[in-house]
Amino acid sequence: MSIFSILSQKPWTSDQAKIDDKHSGKSSSMPLPRVALYVSMIVMGVLFTLFSVAYIGRMAYGDWRVLPEPPLLWFNSLVILMSSFAFHKATLSLKENNNRRTREYLFLAGALTLGFITGQLFVWRELVSFGYFVSTNPSYAFFYLLTALHILHLLGGLIAWLFVVYKSFTAEDESSNFRLSVNLCAIYWHFLLIVWLILFTMLLLT
Amino acid sequence: MSESIIPESELEEVELYHPKSWWTEKVFSQDAKLIAIQYGLTAFAIGFVALVLSWFMRIQIAFPEMAIISEGTYYQFITMHGMIMVVYLLTALFLGAFGNYLIPLMVGARDMVFPYLNMVSYWTYLVAVLVLFVSFFTPGGPTGAGWTLYPPQAILGGTPGQETGIVLMLVSLCIFIVGFTMGGLNYVITVLQARTRGMTLMRMPLTVWGIFTATVLALFAFPALFVSAVMMLFDKLLMTSFFMPALVEFGENLSYGGGSPILFQHLFWFFGHPEVYIVALPAFGIVSDLISIHARKNIFGFRMMVWAIVGIGALSFIVWAHHMYVSGMNPYFGFFFATTTLIIAVPTALKVYNWILTLWKGNIHLTIPMLFCLGFIVTFLNGGLTGLFLGNVIVDVPLSDTYFVVAHFHMVMGIAPVLVILGAIYHWYPLITGKMLHDGMGRFHFWITFVGSYLIYFPMHYLGFIGVPRRYYEMGQTEALYTSSAADLNVFITIAALAVGFAQLVFIYNVFWSAKNGKVAEKNPWKSTSLEWQTPEQPPIHGNFGKELPVVYRWAYDYSVPGAEDDFIPQDVPNEKVKLAEGYKELGVEKT
Ligand code: HEM
Ligand SMILES: [Cu+2]
């Protein structure tokens, strides 16, 4: 039901009461963890958006310097894209009830994510070795800040990932709980992939 | 008689968490009711610190020759007072304390949907409070940047507390926001997904609507504060120049350059203005319910009240720059924000009319909660009207940074919400403790607080008109510019402030005294319809409702329904079970 039709209800009338008495009390039939993930993703989206707004706002000032783009960044982007894809494959094998395959893809996704994080740290080292420090120019500062924030979100995801991998060994094959967890992880990874692609585009545009 | 077919409960009864030891039951509790009390006590404890700081400031302003605090200390006290009051007291109380206590009970849930997260949220909040408090004892003391923390001065030498105070403040804010977000997810999702059968969104009491909408606002607004705090920490600790322009300090070029302090102001107020409504919306909701209950009448214009809450919430994100009229912004920009600011006054005024129309011809019981509500209406109206002055650019420019502003924001977001909180405590105390608060002490508390606050802040408008600037620890040489009445008024205001402070001590005493010696509250003492009073036990125990969750058959405002014998019908009573008044054969239908 749309928010507008909800807001136009007249809960005090007896006609509306007949309808309302049958209401289950839930606004959505989604399971709780899924709602929780969606709401969290909205909040994270707001956070990244505000950082981006600050970034674009700060860019307008005269002292802004163009950020060098280490080629490694392209490679890293490919890695995180693949980890997202591995998660996607994991959900597909889940549909085929192929638990072993699912687990393999889960491991692959995790490994690729760790690879991405390591890659990002190498980018940092490279920049530092060129003498691009946090305090050198706001564009570098933003780069460190945004990538660090993104990595933190991935690390949070990896904690969830650990639980899922653990479940993949212990849960019953058909456990809907396990399925849900894998699906939610996949969604979160796609989300962080999109965030990264947006950040990366923004960094390229400097 | 209509038969109502109630669907099978779709919510599988959730496994409640059962504490296994004293520690997990009483300290690291996952029960929203206890978490609420923990939030409340912590907020009041740190809020008390802020109150004591205000006494020092007032004494200093009234009797500068006593020099009870130095100018640096004065800045530090203003800053800590402002930030604690707004964030650590009011936000934590409305969302953390009232949200936790009331949401599950009022929507008919056994607990929040994520009790563990809820517990972590409180302990994170406690850490934030402690980090902030510790800054009083660090070298250099707490930050004196003003609660707005404007760079560049906030992190430069010369501002008190720039050694560690500012860092602790920013870190504490970040921790607070993380903790709040965990709680906020809980409040939102509990409202959306854990209501009991028959509880549609529009059947929820306005209290829940207010807290719910405020939480949504907070989830959108606090990230802006987080972003500005993190970036300022970078500027302070890593010498970046997000906000810091090129500066010369004591003839020395600092390594900063090119940053934009205005960018900070935008981010800060993108949080700061919605913050006003994060505090106000729960207050609106609670006041609506209290007025309806204590006037035994349904709330006037219920739907409009909900629309106004939602509308104000949405609009509050496009008015922020009215705090920046004097920052040298483009006049067209100012015009836009002045317009939106005046538009937001419309739904706000509508709420005030509806409160008054609810009271109109109501069966008004002058209970203490009702007194506080009446006090709120008058105070809020006053603060709202001065807001219209300040919302206009040309009026704001001369009044900016004068005591007029201090009067305005204390009326509208200081005193008004505090009156609601106090009224709400008198109202729900019997539910929480099973005892009534002492009536005599309560009335004393109300009258001193209400009249006293008016005596504090009403004269400040005049001080503002004659140009007395805010954030000055004494008028010094400038005193010659004002009539001597300004100095006399300041003495008067300080006396009123100390009296109000004393009344709060009486209140605190009352809260503890009554918990032990108070009159035992009868069940549902205010004859309220909403679910929190319909629990089998009062105070409600773990799990809130007995074996089965209640089923809801009506909205929360069935007061003085014609045909019913009692003047209220609880939400979980179906029409068939309502005791009819003599001469009626059905609700609203007289026997012929
Ligand atoms: C009776 C209780 C209170 C008294 C006596 C009091 C007194 C004061 C005083 C003396 C100042 C400094 C004014 C100046 O020099 O510019 C101040 C500032 C402030 N107060 Fe209060 N106050 C009280 C309650 C509150 C409450 C409940 C709030 C909650 C919103 C609040 C929020 C603020 C803020 C935000 C500032 C501005 C701080 C700044 O300029 O950075 N106060 N108050
Ligand atoms: Cu504002």
Side-chain angles (χ1 to χ4, degrees):
Chain A
M1 212 183 314
S2 85
I3 178 85
F4 293 107
S5 65
I6 290 176
L7 288 179
S8 59
Q9 289 169 2
K10 297 179 176 168
W12 59 89
T13 60
S14 54
D15 288 345
Q16 182 66 38
K18 285 197 191 97
I19 306 170
D20 286 353
D21 283 351
K22 302 203 180 77
H23 196 280
S24 76
K26 278 184 168 192
S27 289
S28 141
S29 54
M30 281 191 267
L32 276 183
R34 186 180 287 267
V35 183
L37 178 68
Y38 288 168
V39 177
S40 323
M41 275 172 14
I42 293 176
V43 177
M44 292 172 199
V46 173
L47 184 69
F48 279 108
T49 308
L50 286 166
F51 266 117
S52 312
V53 169
Y55 183 89
I56 292 164
R58 184 65 180 80
M59 216 156 104
Y61 291 85
D63 63 333
W64 188 267
R65 256 189 269 156
V66 177
L67 190 82
E69 294 135 20
L72 190 52
L73 278 179
W74 289 97
F75 178 74
N76 288 349
S77 305
L78 194 68
V79 174
I80 189 175
L81 184 84
M82 276 166 22
S83 81
S84 208
F85 187 67
F87 259 117
H88 178 62
K89 288 298 264 185
T91 60
L92 288 185
S93 358
L94 205 60
K95 274 203 192 110
E96 297 160 5
N97 284 323
N98 192 339
N99 247 13
R100 231 182 54 118
R101 181 56 69 72
T102 309
R103 192 182 313 143
E104 283 166 12
Y105 276 123
L106 281 179
F107 271 115
L108 182 62
L112 285 166
T113 308
L114 286 174
F116 171 79
I117 295 175
T118 324
Q120 294 290 77
L121 296 181
F122 270 105
V123 173
W124 283 9
R125 219 179 61 164
E126 197 177 323
L127 287 177
V128 169
S129 70
F130 288 152
Y132 299 133
F133 299 111
V134 183
S135 56
T136 316
N137 191 270
S139 59
Y140 312 145
F142 266 115
F143 179 80
Y144 289 110
L145 183 60
L146 290 173
T147 45
L149 195 71
H150 184 249
I151 290 176
L152 279 178
H153 280 80
L154 277 175
L155 288 176
L158 280 177
I159 295 178
W161 171 83
L162 275 180
F163 276 106
V164 176
V165 168
Y166 174 73
K167 264 191 208 159
S168 78
F169 285 103
T170 54
E172 317 266 310
D173 281 2
E174 301 291 301
S175 154
S176 61
N177 192 330
F178 173 61
R179 285 162 178 267
L180 181 64
S181 318
V182 176
N183 278 322
L184 295 186
C185 265
I187 293 173
Y188 185 58
W189 250 261
H190 300 335
F191 168 74
L192 286 183
L193 170 69
I194 294 173
V195 169
W196 169 249
L197 292 180
I198 294 174
L199 292 182
F200 189 39
T201 321
M202 247 171 39
L203 300 173
L204 290 182
L205 285 180
T206 55
Chain B
M1 294 263 147
S2 67
E3 10 158 22
S4 34
I5 315 149
I6 306 301
E8 285 293 302
S9 172
E10 271 186 43
L11 290 169
E12 323 88 64
E13 278 275 327
V14 268
E15 245 334 283
L16 262 188
Y17 172 81
H18 288 293
K20 292 186 194 60
S21 69
W22 183 85
W23 280 99
T24 45
E25 189 184 336
K26 298 280 195 263
V27 181
F28 295 102
S29 165
Q30 301 189 17
D31 186 326
K33 295 185 292 299
L34 189 62
I35 296 175
I37 292 167
Q38 293 174 323
Y39 253 114
L41 291 179
T42 313
F44 268 118
I46 192 74
F48 188 72
V49 173
L51 182 67
V52 173
L53 295 181
S54 79
W55 299 342
F56 279 100
M57 296 190 293
R58 277 315 321 176
I59 294 174
Q60 167 63 31
I61 301 172
F63 310 108
E65 61 288 349
M66 272 169 66
I68 121 168
I69 49 179
S70 67
E71 58 271 46
T73 317
Y74 188 83
Y75 280 140
Q76 294 172 315
F77 282 12
I78 290 189
T79 309
M80 297 303 270
H81 164 85
M83 193 63 99
I84 290 175
M85 286 290 189
V86 173
V87 174
Y88 298 83
L89 175 79
L90 290 181
T91 309
L93 261 186
F94 272 124
L95 303 183
F98 284 103
N100 263 316
Y101 205 91
L102 293 176
I103 290 176
L105 277 164
M106 282 187 148
V107 303
R110 296 209 181 277
D111 207 327
M112 289 285 177
V113 285
F114 305 115
Y116 181 78
L117 200 63
N118 208 19
M119 173 187 78
V120 180
S121 160
Y122 167 70
W123 292 98
T124 317
Y125 165 64
L126 183 65
V127 172
V129 168
L130 291 177
V131 170
L132 187 76
F133 190 64
V134 159
S135 72
F136 278 104
F137 308 103
T138 51
T143 174
W147 90 282
T148 45
L149 305 178
Y150 279 3
Q153 52 88 12
I155 58 178
L156 288 180
T159 301
Q162 59 89 32
E163 298 88 343
T164 43
I166 181 71
V167 175
L168 289 177
M169 167 66 87
L170 295 171
V171 169
S172 164
L173 284 172
C174 290
I175 300 175
F176 178 92
I177 294 166
V178 171
F180 164 75
T181 307
M182 295 187 242
L185 286 179
N186 254 315
Y187 315 150
V188 169
I189 300 178
T190 303
V191 168
L192 289 178
Q193 294 299 83
R195 305 192 304 277
T196 190
R197 279 174 293 159
M199 181 64 91
T200 60
L201 286 173
M202 291 299 270
R203 275 179 170 179
M204 298 191 307
L206 286 165
T207 299
V208 181
W209 268 103
I211 296 176
F212 171 71
T213 316
T215 310
V216 175
L217 291 196
L219 288 176
F220 280 95
F222 270 117
L225 182 63
F226 188 83
V227 168
S228 27
V230 168
M231 284 166 60
M232 187 153 19
L233 271 177
F234 266 56
D235 278 1
K236 171 76 189 164
L237 298 176
L238 302 174
M239 306 303 285
T240 54
S241 299
F242 289 125
F243 303 131
M244 300 297 283
L247 285 159
V248 180
E249 192 176 48
F250 301 120
E252 221 181 297
N253 283 320
L254 297 185
S255 67
Y256 295 118
S260 162
I262 299 290
L263 181 60
F264 177 89
Q265 295 190 12
H266 280 298
L267 283 170
F268 182 86
W269 288 112
F270 186 76
F271 146 77
H273 189 85
E275 170 63 30
V276 176
Y277 288 99
I278 293 167
V279 183
L281 293 182
F284 291 170
I286 291 174
V287 148
S288 310
D289 282 355
L290 296 196
I291 287 181
S292 172
I293 293 169
H294 294 269
R296 317 306 297 160
K297 228 179 117 200
N298 67 321
I299 188 81
F300 188 91
F302 171 77
R303 282 195 305 170
M304 268 192 269
M305 292 306 242
V306 176
W307 296 342
I309 287 180
V310 176
I312 292 172
L315 284 172
S316 70
F317 281 98
I318 50 167
V319 298
W320 78 89
H322 61 210
H323 297 274
M324 299 163 58
Y325 288 151
V326 292
S327 68
M329 61 163 74
N330 183 320
Y332 289 110
F333 211 57
F335 176 74
F336 172 81
F337 282 98
T339 313
T340 53
T341 303
L342 297 186
I343 290 174
I344 209 172
V346 176
T348 313
L350 195 146
K351 294 194 81 79
V352 178
Y353 292 133
N354 283 359
W355 291 320
I356 293 173
L357 287 167
T358 306
L359 289 168
W360 182 256
K361 291 192 173 165
N363 176 8
I364 299 178
H365 294 41
L366 283 181
T367 54
I368 300 178
M370 178 56 108
L371 290 175
F372 274 104
C373 289
L374 298 176
F376 162 83
I377 295 182
V378 184
T379 321
F380 184 75
L381 185 65
N382 188 318
L385 288 176
T386 49
L388 292 180
F389 287 60
L390 296 173
N392 282 292
V393 186
I394 35 169
V395 188
D396 178 67
V397 168
L399 288 177
S400 192
D401 281 324
T402 67
Y403 261 88
F404 192 85
V405 176
V406 178
H408 158 70
F409 71 70
H410 275 97
M411 281 278 187
V412 84
M413 82 167 306
I415 300 310
V418 167
L419 289 178
V420 175
I421 286 175
L422 295 174
I425 291 176
Y426 283 94
H427 181 80
W428 277 296
Y429 189 84
L431 181 68
I432 298 170
T433 63
K435 303 279 180 66
M436 303 296 280
L437 278 167
H438 188 275
D439 199 67
M441 277 193 262
R443 280 173 199 274
F444 173 82
H445 174 218
F446 167 74
W447 285 107
I448 304 287
T449 306
F450 171 61
V451 177
S453 307
Y454 240 87
L455 295 182
I456 300 173
Y457 294 108
F458 203 72
M460 281 192 194
H461 295 96
Y462 168 74
L463 289 182
F465 277 139
I466 62 175
V468 179
R470 79 186 265 211
R471 291 180 172 170
Y472 274 35
Y473 86 116
E474 62 169 10
M475 286 193 271
Q477 305 278 309
T478 61
E479 195 159 345
L481 297 174
Y482 315 115
T483 56
S484 63
S485 61
D488 297 341
L489 254 188
N490 268 333
V491 177
F492 175 79
I493 291 174
T494 297
I495 293 170
L498 293 177
V500 170
F502 172 71
Q504 308 319 305
L505 298 181
V506 174
F507 169 66
I508 296 171
Y509 176 74
N510 193 358
V511 166
F512 287 103
W513 183 86
S514 299
K516 233 173 136 193
N517 312 316
K519 204 169 78 197
V520 174
E522 52 189 291
K523 182 95 175 85
N524 194 357
W526 314 114
K527 302 195 185 339
S528 164
T529 61
S530 42
L531 290 181
E532 81 273 24
W533 296 100
Q534 321 304 336
T535 55
E537 293 87 6
Q538 177 176 310
I541 55 169
H542 190 49
N544 293 347
F545 300 95
K547 259 222 199 84
E548 272 192 46
L549 287 172
V551 179
V552 170
Y553 298 93
R554 55 190 71 251
W555 69 335
Y557 299 97
D558 270 344
Y559 291 102
S560 311
V561 179
E565 191 180 63
D566 294 328
D567 69 348
F568 73 111
I569 311 176
Q571 285 190 278
D572 59 350
V573 174
N575 278 350
E576 302 85 72
K577 294 222 177 113
V578 177
K579 236 190 279 153
L580 295 178
E582 226 176 310
Y584 279 86
K585 63 172 194 244
E586 216 178 295
L587 278 185
V589 184
E590 278 177 76
K591 271 188 195 146
T592 40

